[in-house]
Amino acid sequence: MVPDALQFFVTGTDTGVGKTQVSCALLSLLKDAGHQPQGFKPYESGCASLKAPSDALAMREAAGSTLPVEAICPHRFKAPLAPGIAAARLGTEPDFRVTLAAWKRLKGGAVVV
């Protein structure tokens, strides 16, 4: 059995390499094992809709989560660029305090980032 405080960090280079699919698979496996996992995608770019970021919503669905999208993905950008570059083009920088506050809402349970 996986402890509830276990946290996974999925990373890869470039877009479209399968990070979201792997994250969703892990979340689904954790849920099927009886845990209440949460997905956390603090930055998502290339969003067709800022209110409905597709990767974050896919992770939420895989986890069976009811958290609001702002808790799962606090920083969203339309430009299909690295989030830091997308933010810079808007003349802003994502506030890490917002990211940290969203992370703390997860309360240390099983999380896939």
Side-chain angles (χ1 to χ4, degrees), residues 7-113:
Q7 298 163 352
F8 296 91
F9 186 84
V10 178
T11 187
T13 57
D14 214 345
T15 58
V17 296
K19 297 180 298 290
T20 299
Q21 289 78 8
V22 168
S23 296
C24 288
L26 286 170
L27 288 162
S28 182
L29 288 169
L30 287 165
K31 182 177 75 172
D32 290 348
H35 299 279
Q36 295 179 346
Q38 296 296 339
F40 186 59
K41 185 170 181 83
Y43 309 92
E44 185 170 339
S45 56
C47 299
S49 167
L50 294 179
K51 292 182 179 184
S54 60
D55 289 355
L57 292 178
M59 291 173 66
R60 181 173 74 177
E61 183 178 340
S65 174
T66 58
L67 284 176
V69 71
E70 293 78 17
I72 297 166
C73 185
H75 305 285
R76 301 172 298 279
F77 306 96
K78 284 194 176 219
L81 305 165
I85 295 171
R89 288 198 177 172
L90 294 172
T92 187
E93 183 174 322
D95 187 343
F96 187 70
R97 294 172 294 189
V98 172
T99 308
L100 188 56
W103 173 253
K104 288 180 178 180
R105 283 184 75 179
L106 301 178
K107 298 189 178 26
V111 179
V112 177
V113 180

